[in-house]
Amino acid sequence: MTVVVLHGAVADGSGMDEQDVLVEVETVCQALAALGHRPVPVPLSLDLGVAIESLHRLQPRFAFNLVESVAGKGSLIALGPMTLDFLNIPFTGASADATYLTSNKPLAKRIMTLEGIDTPPWLAVEENPPGPVAPGRYILKSVWEHASIGIDERSVLYADGAAALRQALRLRRETIGGPCFAEAYVEGREFNLSLLADEKDPRVLPPAEILFENFPPGKLRLVDYRAKWDTDSFEYRQTPRCFRFPDADADLLASLRRIALRCWEVFRLRGYGRVDFRVDGDGRPWVLEVNTNPCLSPDAGFLAAAGEAGLGITDVVARICADLP
């Protein structure tokens, strides 16, 4: 049975985050083959006709959607599921609507706020906040890009109000690579909660905390681009993932699980997903973002969490495929 593995085309000279997509494709193809499918990778570029012609020719039973960006732009992430919808090909993972709503971070934060899910206050250039913007530290982020693209220590600044933040956003826009927004910086612990479809309800995989080991005083505890991708950097080496917690964290972990499941419900996720948190000094969790398409590379967080639950890549891919609409 032919299964297309749809992914964003990777150009020569692309960054480490984009190159990792090819590792992810190979990993998923091996798992699909182990499940008895005939996987065929199909890259998606701005020349949609090429991919559409391949999909017509292959007539796949379904598509495994791994599109995280198109032409290097995260803002085009929904082109993958939208193209598959157009061709009436079933596909794994979240719908085009859920993909769009969660990938536009300010829009996702607005929805979370309306649904009573705590997310740090934010400001985008074009927005008029309902009240005064509190002075404090903010982190400037891309509206669309994921994988900490454009984030480093220069992304965090102190601002005394909306005007200063808007000016900082305008100056930072080119460095970040497009539209950006400011989010209140939460000093505290960082957690990732991975979710996987199960027979009836989604299953929350073991929570992971990102540790900040040996960070000197004054250095921001930040999972920036170097921490995710630059294997020779201090930030990469000193931010290991931890799955072991003291009993004192039991209530906090239960709260994180509840909120992650609530995000799954609110955004109507399918297959798999991941919710990223910061927890402030008072133990209050804040959702940073919801990822409908977390990386499935062997060294990525999702498969690490699955491994803690005794699940291998073939188990994970089988459950994602079983949650096809």
Side-chain angles (χ1 to χ4, degrees):
M1 177 184 305
T2 298
V3 176
V4 157
V5 178
L6 190 68
H7 64 92
V10 179
D12 293 340
S14 298
M16 290 176 285
D17 51 293
E18 285 202 63
Q19 295 289 338
D20 192 59
V21 170
L22 300 179
V23 177
E24 190 179 16
V25 170
E26 182 179 357
T27 302
V28 170
C29 283
Q30 289 174 353
L32 287 168
L35 293 168
H37 300 296
R38 187 175 76 86
V40 181
V42 172
L44 184 67
S45 69
L46 288 179
D47 191 348
L48 294 179
V50 174
I52 289 174
E53 182 181 345
S54 295
L55 291 164
H56 275 309
R57 174 172 46 79
L58 291 165
Q59 293 290 302
R61 166 68 181 80
F62 64 89
F64 202 104
N65 178 34
L66 291 179
V67 175
E68 298 176 23
S69 64
V70 176
K73 296 295 183 184
S75 57
L76 301 178
I77 186 174
L79 269 183
M82 290 173 71
T83 301
L84 295 166
D85 269 339
F86 171 71
L87 297 173
N88 201 27
I89 297 174
F91 59 89
T92 60
S95 67
D97 288 346
T99 300
Y100 184 90
L101 292 175
T102 53
S103 297
N104 184 313
K105 298 182 189 75
L107 182 56
K109 290 166 73 68
R110 188 178 299 280
I111 293 171
M112 285 190 277
T113 300
L114 291 171
E115 293 289 341
I117 298 171
D118 285 339
T119 185
W122 76 98
L123 175 72
V125 171
E126 68 277 10
E127 290 184 331
N128 293 314
V133 173
R137 280 203 292 184
Y138 289 82
I139 179 169
L140 309 186
K141 295 180 169 181
S142 168
V143 167
W144 291 101
E145 303 301 335
H146 51 84
S148 295
I149 292 173
I151 293 180
D152 57 28
E153 288 190 327
R154 293 170 298 175
S155 304
V156 180
L157 53 82
Y158 178 87
D160 59 7
L165 272 181
R166 287 197 174 94
Q167 177 65 11
L169 287 167
R170 292 187 185 98
L171 293 174
R172 187 73 174 168
R173 179 185 171 102
E174 292 305 317
T175 303
I176 290 178
C180 50
F181 70 105
E183 180 182 71
Y185 177 77
V186 177
E187 183 67 54
R189 301 167 70 183
E190 181 146 340
F191 293 82
N192 305 140
L193 274 285
S194 298
L195 300 109
L196 180 64
D198 212 338
E199 291 184 1
K200 187 178 179 182
D201 297 313
R203 175 180 179 180
V204 183
L205 299 176
E209 179 175 8
I210 306 300
L211 303 179
F212 299 93
E213 295 182 338
N214 303 313
F215 272 51
K219 182 172 177 57
L220 290 171
R221 294 169 176 251
L222 193 64
V223 182
D224 61 9
Y225 191 83
R226 284 177 297 186
K228 284 199 173 180
W229 301 107
D230 185 354
T231 56
D232 294 329
S233 69
F234 169 88
E235 289 80 3
Y236 183 93
R237 295 193 304 270
Q238 300 300 324
T239 52
R241 197 178 291 117
C242 173
F243 292 96
R244 303 288 175 265
F245 299 96
D247 292 342
D249 281 337
D251 289 345
L252 170 62
L253 297 177
S255 178
L256 295 175
R257 291 188 184 96
R258 283 196 300 272
I259 297 169
L261 287 170
R262 178 75 178 130
C263 289
W264 179 285
E265 177 187 4
V266 165
F267 290 104
R268 300 183 180 182
L269 304 188
R270 287 199 312 246
Y272 65 132
R274 195 190 68 230
V275 182
D276 297 339
F277 293 88
R278 292 283 281 204
V279 177
D280 66 21
D282 294 327
R284 182 176 180 178
W286 300 85
V287 175
L288 300 181
E289 60 185 88
V290 177
N291 189 334
T292 61
N293 210 6
C295 181
L296 294 177
S297 292
D299 61 351
F302 193 93
L303 289 187
E308 289 292 318
L311 301 172
I313 177 62
T314 306
D315 304 308
V316 168
V317 168
R319 293 191 182 198
I320 293 172
C321 293
D323 202 35
L324 279 166

